[in-house]
Amino acid sequence: MASSSGSGSTGSLSAMAAMAAAAGGTEEEVRALMEQRRAKRMLSNRESARRSRMRKQRHLDDLAAQAAHLRRENAHVSAALGLTARGLLAVDAENAVLRTQAAELTARLSSLEEIVACMNATANTNNATAAAVALTVAAAAATAATDPLLGGFDSAAFDDMFRSSNEMFMFQPC
């Protein structure tokens, strides 16, 4: 026996009745057959709807699991960002301290370089003064040796006097 498309329309009922009559079946057999097919279709539709609901529920469960995973990942990223931000603040604070220390050390170095320059200038002046004193002592000694008025003059004592006074010329402020 040929099967119908199962649309349930009256056109297919009459076609089935015609086939059943041609096959030698009664109208009641045709109705029973149609009822059986209708029950089968309903069962098939119920099963299909159940599978569809199960797929939909599985999809919703997957989406919920994915959302929970993304929330956890977001929390981890947020925590890592907070740690990084705190680390950045600490590094910025340390950098500010180091910059201040560098500026202070630069100022101290500049001051020390000025002191060294002043000391070098004073040392050069002291050396020039010592040379001038030595020349003066030598000139006085030469004069004493040639001058008859200074005949009894002790040039060694005079020389010692100038050498001891050299220390008073050692420090000159810049």
Side-chain angles (χ1 to χ4, degrees):
M1 185 182 273
S3 65
S4 73
S5 65
S7 64
S9 66
T10 57
S12 64
L13 286 176
S14 60
M16 291 197 61
M19 283 198 287
T26 64
E27 190 175 312
E28 190 148 316
E29 288 175 353
V30 171
R31 286 194 190 275
L33 181 64
M34 286 175 41
E35 186 63 31
Q36 186 182 15
R37 286 185 180 171
R38 188 169 88 51
K40 190 176 177 182
R41 265 193 326 270
M42 283 178 58
L43 184 62
S44 174
N45 285 346
R46 281 188 190 129
E47 187 62 28
S48 176
R50 185 184 67 77
R51 286 191 308 267
S52 175
R53 284 190 303 272
M54 287 176 62
R55 278 193 308 270
K56 184 178 179 181
Q57 186 62 45
R58 210 172 26 248
H59 183 66
L60 285 175
D61 291 344
D62 290 345
L63 289 176
Q66 185 179 6
H69 172 73
L70 291 174
R71 280 190 198 99
R72 284 190 305 273
E73 187 176 335
N74 191 19
H76 288 300
V77 169
S78 180
L81 179 63
L83 287 174
T84 304
R86 282 192 293 271
L88 175 65
L89 290 176
V91 168
D92 279 346
E94 184 179 356
N95 193 14
V97 167
L98 290 174
R99 285 181 195 267
T100 303
Q101 287 176 348
E104 181 182 321
L105 289 173
T106 301
R108 287 177 65 187
L109 179 62
S110 176
S111 176
L112 288 173
E113 286 173 345
E114 287 177 9
I115 290 170
V116 167
C118 184
M119 290 175 70
N120 286 340
T122 302
N124 290 340
T125 304
N126 287 342
N127 289 341
T129 304
V133 167
L135 286 175
T136 305
V137 167
T143 305
T146 58
D147 191 356
L149 293 174
L150 295 176
F153 179 73
D154 184 14
S155 67
F158 188 71
D159 202 23
D160 285 341
M161 181 182 74
F162 274 111
R163 284 195 186 132
S164 65
S165 67
N166 186 26
E167 290 156 2
M168 82 166 103
F169 298 110
M170 289 301 285
F171 180 76
Q172 292 179 356
C174 295

